[in-house]
Amino acid sequence: MSSKDERKKKKSSSSSHSKSVKKDDKEKKPHRSHTKKDDKEKSSSSSSTKLQKKLDASLAEIESLKAAHAAELAKVKKSWEAKVAAAATAAPSSGGAADETVEEETDEITFEPKTGKSVKINAEWKGKSAGGTLDTMTWRYNPQIFFTVARSTSVKISVHQPAGSKIAMGWYLFEAKTENPKRFLIGDDDDLVAKAKFAKAQVVSGTFELKKGRYPYVLIPCTYDPGEETKFHVSFEASAEVTARLISSEQEWPKSIQSEWKGESAGGCPNFDSFVKNPQYKFTVTKQTQMDILLLQTEYEEFDPVSFYVLKIDKDVTQKITDKSYAKGDNVIVPASFSDPQQAVASKNFSPGSYAIIPTTFNPGQEAPFEITFLAEDGLGPVTELNDAAVIAIDGTWEEGNAGGCMNDIRKWRDNEQYLFTVKQKSTLTIKLKQTSNLDNLSSLGFYILSGGKRIVRVAKKLIVHKSKFVESKNGLTEEVTLPGSSVPYLLVPVTYDADVYCDFKLSILSSDPKFTDYVTLENLPDELQSHKLIGEGEWEGDTAGGCLNFATWRNNPQFKLDVGAKTEVTIFLTCVETVKEDLTPGFYIVNAPTNMELCVDLTPEKIKTKCAFRETREVVKSYKFKPGVYNIIPCTYHLGQESAFEIQVWTTQLGSVSLSPIRTGLLSISGSWSETSAGGCINDVSSWLKNPRIYAAVKQHTEAAIVMIQSPEEKEYDINAMKNIGFYITNSDGDGAPKTNEAADLISMADFSPDKDVVSVLTLPACHWPYVITPCTFEAGITGKFSLFLLTDYDNLENVELSDENIIIDEKEVLGADESPAIREIKRRYKPLAAQCVELVKVTEGTKDIPEFQKWIGRHLLQTVSQFADGIAAWIDETEPQYWTDFYAGEEEEEYDEEEYDEEDDAGIPPPPDGAPAPPPPPPPVNFSKPPKLGMITSTIQSNITPEQLAALESKQKNETSFVDEMLSAIKGGLAGLKKAKPAPPKPKVENPLEVAFNMTVLMSRRAAIEGLNDDEDDEDNWSDEDDW
């Protein structure tokens, strides 16, 4: 198609050239509906004969009519004679004779009716009224003359142009369609009563027999080419009276619209979504009426086909129709017919009501001005343009991570975007959802409306306010919804039917109320209402399908660490990824994370924080309000041995405060059996007990572990009444692979005998140069069967632990902490409870207001003393002296002593260590009680020998020292942290004798003696005396 400028150029060019008026010299325009030519006739002898016969018949009919109307003619003549006589009598006289006045001919254009047997009407072709022939769309704008004949008569019609003007001209004669006609707009060659041949002559005339009819005639004089301008007049010559008048503004149709298709408003037909952007007009019919509607596009001859739709609408509609499917349903009163590029006409008998008319081109983007005229005599109310519809719209994308599909897969559905949808008052809304990309692969679309006010991850039926149908169409989905007003926002969730369908979409909300955006909003879900998903994946397979807490093998299940940094509600989903088996019953436990290891291996029902009930379903869910802390999630099935892959989803509003991570389980397993020769029974009969199978555990570092034994592991279903009484012992090794039973200390641990499916022992296995011997057995000898043994520990400990059914040789260089001297072990043994009691004492005293500040200070100093002793232990391990020892006995402190006055006997000296033990640390500096310190004095001036790097390493479980030192430092650090948070008590009145309210000196001295590693029964002279301290 040519561009707009090209089309205008073409029109201008075509109109600037005069056209020949010779017969057949004007080519037929193929896109027009008018195909007849005004000057095209064939002459032949046969046609002349026919015309002559027709003329003779017409003359005969005229004579017959004359005779029939003779009486009427006489009556009319008599009437006119009476009128003339009356006029002569009334006229003023001059000399007794009436002057005969002759009307002077004039070119003035008037619009009053003229009557007579000879009538002249002046007119002009100028501007728009120079409309040309019926082959142009502008023929309708030519001057039009309405006339009637008093009776059927022969009428000669002539069109005169000024002398010297040589414009090709002619005329058309139609019969009007109403008694009081308006401008004739709809007609073609088939509707013609008569026409004149177009010629370049001063007068173009024709004589025709016209009947007196119900409706007037319409004469349309015109030039051959549009745009030819000149004045002219029309004369009517008849044997009967003719009444004629030039069309005036009163005969113009009042309901006419002039507009254009431009930009977005050039929307095209309903095949395109942009159809609803075309100009739209509302008109009202007040009573049953026949009406013609005419659409004209006169700008371009070559153009897209044009047409219009008339649709039935509600009387209250003030906005444009926004659903293009509305133009294809029962609401269509006048459908469009695209056949002509310049005009479209429809005639319809309209019932009272409101209607919308939508003028349109076939394709979008076709720009041009247009005019719509409503041709109705009566019953047509106001015609107004509809406003652009008020709309709320959001563009979105379904992509990886949020293309969750419909609720058929509720696990994926939660991933869909959810929009905050506020409706403050009852509203009827139109919701549109349309796919805007990847249109070659259309998806079925729908949406859900939920209540709740924040992101919904756990859907209940009561939360579903509306569920749309699903539609696969380029036009998308349009659905009307009525919602009650709510102070709590709804959630609008657009979805595809299938999950993992990636494309763009547009979500729109419309209303008939142009102000609905004042009480309806649609927006992205704000962060404070958003939930964020954390995902963990795992699988119950083989040994890790440990079952619920009814089985000791529950420890074999995968576990997850949930770290909660702030008080929040968390929703946890456990979903079986694979197809659900009928008997698969998932559930999970949530417990406080253990402090000694990551893996939870010691659990009883009362220690469970919360749990999700076991159900025969694909997915289970639990919501819980967590306090800050670390928790273990233990997903499992109700029955032992049920296998499936699974996924854990943790949804929380506190993104960044909650984390989920898998706990890597260190799991070692070994299987065995009791045969007739190896079923030795319990240790009651040692000789028989030694026949039992043996499993060896090499431990190179101190390890927290759980050892579980199950009987008949091959049986998934079992009879509890048929279970054997089973247990096991963990002992030292004699070096040759046999269990050592020389003394009670050789028994490390045991699992009590029980007629259950499984038994367990949770323990700490110290590092050892020799493997431990695990002896699984039945209570009674001679009972055969199979068993499996599991050792569970943190994954990082696996490199330090080995399990085998054969004796293990351990490399001494790989063993850490197994070479400590008895003295060091004894010091540690005595110090550990003292340190714990000291920390507890300080916490208690600082937490009450009933103890004087002076007394609290003693506890703080004692805590510092414990911390100093920790430095001493670290120094002994490194075979160095503690830093505070060097700091105390160096520099200015030594200058306080006078060598001449110094008496070695007065110095009790440092007590000797136990036999074979390294020297203990010196006592701390004496305490000065003269000034009761404030809380801020808790900070010690003595520097610790433990560096921050060492503390960080200990806290991260990268132990450079023994487990005991790590525990001790952690306890002390916790106590100090508690002191720093304590608020000082208000001061009390002065105490007269502070010693009486201080700690008991006997208890204080005994604790110090314990800290120094002294024996309680040694000579008092080796201890500090009260006098030395005070």
Side-chain angles (χ1 to χ4, degrees), residues 88 232 322 344 438 494 499 631 652-653 671 685 766 829 843 860 962 1019:
F232 68 92
T322 57
N438 196 18
Y631 305 87
T652 175
T653 58
S671 298
D685 184 348
R829 185 187 69 80
K843 287 182 178 179
R860 296 171 196 154
T962 64
D1019 189 357

Side-chain angles (χ1 to χ4, degrees), residues 30 125 188 218 222 289 292 300 377 394 422 454 476 478 534 606 608 738 748 815 939:
W125 293 302
D188 56 23
V218 182
C222 57
T289 187
D292 295 333
Y300 308 114
E377 285 294 326
I394 285 183
T422 304
K454 63 180 181 179
T478 300
L534 307 173
E606 58 271 12
I608 297 173
I748 306 301
V815 179
T939 303

